[in-house]
mmCIF file of all heavy atoms in Angstrom:
data_model
loop_
_atom_site.group_PDB
_atom_site.id
_atom_site.type_symbol
_atom_site.label_atom_id
_atom_site.label_comp_id
_atom_site.label_asym_id
_atom_site.label_seq_id
_atom_site.Cartn_x
_atom_site.Cartn_y
_atom_site.Cartn_z
ATOM 1 N N ALA A 53 7.034 35.635 3.036
ATOM 2 C CA ALA A 53 6.096 35.336 4.122
ATOM 3 C C ALA A 53 5.628 33.885 3.980
ATOM 4 O O ALA A 53 5.413 33.415 2.857
ATOM 5 C CB ALA A 53 4.912 36.280 4.053
ATOM 6 N N PRO A 54 5.474 33.167 5.083
ATOM 7 C CA PRO A 54 5.031 31.774 5.013
ATOM 8 C C PRO A 54 3.713 31.595 4.252
ATOM 9 O O PRO A 54 3.542 30.606 3.540
ATOM 10 C CB PRO A 54 4.883 31.364 6.477
ATOM 11 C CG PRO A 54 5.794 32.272 7.219
ATOM 12 C CD PRO A 54 5.770 33.562 6.460
ATOM 13 N N ALA A 55 2.798 32.549 4.381
ATOM 14 C CA ALA A 55 1.511 32.449 3.674
ATOM 15 C C ALA A 55 1.702 32.514 2.159
ATOM 16 O O ALA A 55 1.026 31.794 1.409
ATOM 17 C CB ALA A 55 0.567 33.543 4.133
ATOM 18 N N MET A 56 2.639 33.337 1.699
ATOM 19 C CA MET A 56 2.918 33.425 0.258
ATOM 20 C C MET A 56 3.556 32.131 -0.254
ATOM 21 O O MET A 56 3.232 31.659 -1.345
ATOM 22 C CB MET A 56 3.842 34.610 -0.039
ATOM 23 C CG MET A 56 3.178 35.955 0.123
ATOM 24 S SD MET A 56 4.332 37.315 -0.152
ATOM 25 C CE MET A 56 4.804 37.042 -1.839
ATOM 26 N N ILE A 57 4.429 31.573 0.535
ATOM 27 C CA ILE A 57 5.072 30.302 0.167
ATOM 28 C C ILE A 57 4.015 29.207 0.070
ATOM 29 O O ILE A 57 3.996 28.426 -0.886
ATOM 30 C CB ILE A 57 6.162 29.925 1.194
ATOM 31 C CG1 ILE A 57 7.283 30.974 1.196
ATOM 32 C CG2 ILE A 57 6.724 28.542 0.911
ATOM 33 C CD1 ILE A 57 8.249 30.850 2.351
ATOM 34 N N ALA A 58 3.116 29.153 1.052
ATOM 35 C CA ALA A 58 2.055 28.139 1.062
ATOM 36 C C ALA A 58 1.156 28.278 -0.169
ATOM 37 O O ALA A 58 0.780 27.280 -0.790
ATOM 38 C CB ALA A 58 1.230 28.256 2.337
ATOM 39 N N THR A 59 0.840 29.500 -0.546
ATOM 40 C CA THR A 59 0.003 29.729 -1.731
ATOM 41 C C THR A 59 0.692 29.215 -2.986
ATOM 42 O O THR A 59 0.074 28.543 -3.816
ATOM 43 C CB THR A 59 -0.317 31.234 -1.874
ATOM 44 O OG1 THR A 59 -0.974 31.669 -0.685
ATOM 45 C CG2 THR A 59 -1.198 31.491 -3.068
ATOM 46 N N GLY A 60 1.977 29.499 -3.133
ATOM 47 C CA GLY A 60 2.733 29.042 -4.300
ATOM 48 C C GLY A 60 2.809 27.522 -4.384
ATOM 49 O O GLY A 60 2.613 26.932 -5.453
ATOM 50 N N ILE A 61 3.070 26.883 -3.259
ATOM 51 C CA ILE A 61 3.162 25.419 -3.235
ATOM 52 C C ILE A 61 1.799 24.796 -3.544
ATOM 53 O O ILE A 61 1.708 23.840 -4.308
ATOM 54 C CB ILE A 61 3.709 24.928 -1.881
ATOM 55 C CG1 ILE A 61 5.183 25.322 -1.742
ATOM 56 C CG2 ILE A 61 3.555 23.420 -1.732
ATOM 57 C CD1 ILE A 61 5.782 25.041 -0.380
ATOM 58 N N ALA A 62 0.743 25.368 -2.975
ATOM 59 C CA ALA A 62 -0.609 24.838 -3.205
ATOM 60 C C ALA A 62 -0.984 24.919 -4.685
ATOM 61 O O ALA A 62 -1.580 23.989 -5.237
ATOM 62 C CB ALA A 62 -1.626 25.596 -2.359
ATOM 63 N N GLU A 63 -0.612 26.012 -5.342
ATOM 64 C CA GLU A 63 -0.906 26.156 -6.768
ATOM 65 C C GLU A 63 -0.164 25.109 -7.597
ATOM 66 O O GLU A 63 -0.702 24.565 -8.551
ATOM 67 C CB GLU A 63 -0.538 27.566 -7.245
ATOM 68 C CG GLU A 63 -1.478 28.642 -6.756
ATOM 69 C CD GLU A 63 -0.983 30.045 -7.077
ATOM 70 O OE1 GLU A 63 0.113 30.196 -7.685
ATOM 71 O OE2 GLU A 63 -1.679 31.001 -6.688
ATOM 72 N N GLN A 64 1.081 24.825 -7.240
ATOM 73 C CA GLN A 64 1.879 23.873 -7.997
ATOM 74 C C GLN A 64 1.458 22.422 -7.746
ATOM 75 O O GLN A 64 1.573 21.586 -8.637
ATOM 76 C CB GLN A 64 3.363 24.052 -7.675
ATOM 77 C CG GLN A 64 3.897 25.370 -8.210
ATOM 78 C CD GLN A 64 5.340 25.599 -7.820
ATOM 79 O OE1 GLN A 64 5.749 25.271 -6.711
ATOM 80 N NE2 GLN A 64 6.107 26.156 -8.732
ATOM 81 N N LEU A 65 0.965 22.119 -6.544
ATOM 82 C CA LEU A 65 0.542 20.759 -6.229
ATOM 83 C C LEU A 65 -0.889 20.457 -6.676
ATOM 84 O O LEU A 65 -1.260 19.298 -6.793
ATOM 85 C CB LEU A 65 0.609 20.512 -4.723
ATOM 86 C CG LEU A 65 1.938 20.186 -4.100
ATOM 87 C CD1 LEU A 65 1.765 19.947 -2.608
ATOM 88 C CD2 LEU A 65 2.581 18.985 -4.742
ATOM 89 N N GLY A 66 -1.663 21.483 -6.903
ATOM 90 C CA GLY A 66 -3.088 21.338 -7.174
ATOM 91 C C GLY A 66 -3.460 20.395 -8.299
ATOM 92 O O GLY A 66 -4.501 19.757 -8.263
ATOM 93 N N GLY A 67 -2.642 20.258 -9.322
ATOM 94 C CA GLY A 67 -2.993 19.429 -10.467
ATOM 95 C C GLY A 67 -2.658 17.959 -10.328
ATOM 96 O O GLY A 67 -2.969 17.171 -11.206
ATOM 97 N N ASP A 68 -2.047 17.543 -9.225
ATOM 98 C CA ASP A 68 -1.649 16.143 -9.071
ATOM 99 C C ASP A 68 -2.849 15.248 -8.819
ATOM 100 O O ASP A 68 -3.765 15.598 -8.078
ATOM 101 C CB ASP A 68 -0.646 16.022 -7.916
ATOM 102 C CG ASP A 68 0.091 14.707 -7.965
ATOM 103 O OD1 ASP A 68 -0.479 13.710 -7.496
ATOM 104 O OD2 ASP A 68 1.216 14.683 -8.484
ATOM 105 N N ALA A 69 -2.839 14.068 -9.414
ATOM 106 C CA ALA A 69 -3.961 13.126 -9.303
ATOM 107 C C ALA A 69 -4.106 12.532 -7.907
ATOM 108 O O ALA A 69 -5.157 11.990 -7.574
ATOM 109 C CB ALA A 69 -3.778 12.001 -10.314
ATOM 110 N N LEU A 70 -3.081 12.635 -7.076
ATOM 111 C CA LEU A 70 -3.138 12.114 -5.718
ATOM 112 C C LEU A 70 -4.127 12.899 -4.858
ATOM 113 O O LEU A 70 -4.697 12.363 -3.911
ATOM 114 C CB LEU A 70 -1.740 12.170 -5.083
ATOM 115 C CG LEU A 70 -1.576 11.629 -3.669
ATOM 116 C CD1 LEU A 70 -1.837 10.128 -3.637
ATOM 117 C CD2 LEU A 70 -0.180 11.920 -3.161
ATOM 118 N N PHE A 71 -4.356 14.164 -5.215
ATOM 119 C CA PHE A 71 -5.168 15.051 -4.389
ATOM 120 C C PHE A 71 -6.503 15.397 -5.038
ATOM 121 O O PHE A 71 -6.575 15.648 -6.235
ATOM 122 C CB PHE A 71 -4.418 16.358 -4.121
ATOM 123 C CG PHE A 71 -3.052 16.153 -3.537
ATOM 124 C CD1 PHE A 71 -1.920 16.480 -4.258
ATOM 125 C CD2 PHE A 71 -2.889 15.617 -2.271
ATOM 126 C CE1 PHE A 71 -0.658 16.285 -3.734
ATOM 127 C CE2 PHE A 71 -1.633 15.417 -1.735
ATOM 128 C CZ PHE A 71 -0.516 15.754 -2.468
ATOM 129 N N ALA A 72 -7.535 15.447 -4.208
ATOM 130 C CA ALA A 72 -8.832 15.946 -4.657
ATOM 131 C C ALA A 72 -8.805 17.465 -4.609
ATOM 132 O O ALA A 72 -9.376 18.141 -5.468
ATOM 133 C CB ALA A 72 -9.951 15.422 -3.763
ATOM 134 N N LYS A 73 -8.108 18.003 -3.586
ATOM 135 C CA LYS A 73 -8.032 19.456 -3.428
ATOM 136 C C LYS A 73 -6.773 19.794 -2.642
ATOM 137 O O LYS A 73 -6.401 19.082 -1.709
ATOM 138 C CB LYS A 73 -9.281 19.934 -2.683
ATOM 139 C CG LYS A 73 -9.333 21.408 -2.409
ATOM 140 C CD LYS A 73 -10.689 21.861 -1.870
ATOM 141 C CE LYS A 73 -10.895 21.450 -0.439
ATOM 142 N NZ LYS A 73 -12.053 22.094 0.201
ATOM 143 N N VAL A 74 -6.119 20.879 -3.039
ATOM 144 C CA VAL A 74 -4.969 21.398 -2.302
ATOM 145 C C VAL A 74 -5.227 22.880 -2.104
ATOM 146 O O VAL A 74 -5.516 23.603 -3.056
ATOM 147 C CB VAL A 74 -3.637 21.204 -3.073
ATOM 148 C CG1 VAL A 74 -2.478 21.789 -2.284
ATOM 149 C CG2 VAL A 74 -3.395 19.741 -3.364
#
Side-chain angles (χ1 to χ4, degrees):
M56 289 177 62
I57 297 168
T59 302
I61 291 173
E63 288 172 0
Q64 292 176 322
L65 279 181
D68 196 278
L70 182 65
F71 306 113
K73 178 171 74 168
V74 179

